[in-house]
Amino acid sequence: MLEPDGQDSSNKPSGAEANLPRVAFPWYLVRTKPRQEHLACCQLLRQDYQVYLPRYRQWINRNGDWQPEETPWFPGYLFVRQSDEEQSLAPVRSTYGVLNLVSFGPQPQPVGDALINRLKKLEQQQQQKYDKEFRLPFKPGDRVLIDQGPLRGRRGIVSRCEQERVQVLLSMLGRTVKANVKAGALVVG
């Protein structure tokens, strides 16, 4: 039977069926190739799977520059589930960046929703904490060594930290001098 919009209504749920909640499909654990969690995540999303890759933020020193970076909580793993009942898990195994679905025996083992919800809650709490404490891996009172620039080789004490600059107290010519140094030029110690 055709609806006013010109579509066939024989495939549409009727009455009580339309009000039933959608079936929640189970989550599965996917093992990815080393350092390819993000690639696997993107490829699975392109195939319309629901994907969850728990991550946390940390400071990484790259080429003398401190930068925040999101790192997987479980390197080499992510969670996936089907978006609808017609979607098979078989294509997951041949997705770029994926090694396999974690299984015990021949069938992949589902992961409970309670675990996923708990991980999401912990990730959200960590994100809120990170946003409040957005700072470099140095804190006032830390002893540092300047590793780059004209003050290279000098030791000092951190007095203040800002986004990418650190104020260091140096002892020069018998006096204490404040110097603003790029965070990437410092090494703890």
Side-chain angles (χ1 to χ4, degrees):
M1 180 164 162
L2 289 178
E3 292 291 316
D5 60 357
Q7 294 190 3
D8 186 7
S9 65
S10 59
N11 293 336
K12 291 184 179 179
S14 62
E17 291 176 357
N19 294 329
L20 290 175
R22 268 186 69 192
V23 175
F25 296 98
W27 289 96
Y28 294 94
L29 186 60
V30 173
R31 184 162 179 231
T32 66
K33 293 179 180 174
R35 299 177 150 262
Q36 293 191 18
E37 300 89 356
H38 186 69
L39 171 67
C41 182
C42 291
Q43 294 298 320
L44 289 166
L45 286 171
R46 289 180 66 201
Q47 297 175 52
D48 291 329
Y49 287 98
Q50 293 179 26
V51 181
Y52 176 53
L53 176 60
R55 294 176 276 196
Y56 66 95
R57 287 191 184 166
Q58 67 178 4
W59 284 95
I60 302 287
N61 191 346
R62 293 197 191 271
N63 299 326
D65 222 6
W66 286 97
Q67 301 170 353
E69 179 177 287
E70 288 194 338
T71 305
W73 273 4
F74 310 109
Y77 294 92
L78 58 83
F79 299 93
V80 67
R81 75 173 170 187
Q82 300 145 288
S83 295
D84 60 51
E85 60 196 33
E86 296 172 7
Q87 194 172 30
S88 170
L89 287 175
V92 171
R93 293 180 180 97
S94 60
T95 300
Y96 287 119
V98 171
L99 279 175
N100 58 12
L101 283 158
V102 175
S103 57
F104 300 101
Q107 294 296 318
Q109 294 298 305
V111 176
D113 282 341
L115 175 65
I116 300 297
N117 292 336
R118 182 69 180 142
L119 287 172
K120 287 181 178 181
K121 186 176 179 181
L122 287 171
E123 185 179 23
Q124 184 180 21
Q125 289 172 350
Q126 191 272 340
Q127 178 64 39
Q128 289 171 349
K129 180 180 176 185
Y130 178 87
D131 289 343
K132 286 180 186 174
E133 298 176 2
F134 180 78
R135 60 180 164 81
L136 295 168
F138 304 107
K139 62 184 182 300
D142 283 351
R143 294 189 178 279
V144 293
L145 170 68
I146 300 175
D147 198 32
Q148 300 172 8
L151 298 173
R152 183 180 186 162
R154 292 230 170 249
R155 294 187 181 278
I157 299 174
V158 174
S159 68
R160 190 173 73 208
C161 298
E162 293 180 8
Q163 293 269 333
E164 295 180 17
R165 306 293 284 179
V166 178
Q167 189 176 69
V168 180
L169 300 174
L170 302 170
S171 179
M172 298 176 75
L173 302 171
R175 301 180 72 191
T176 302
V177 179
K178 293 179 184 176
N180 289 319
V181 180
K182 186 176 166 184
L186 296 175
V187 177
V188 177

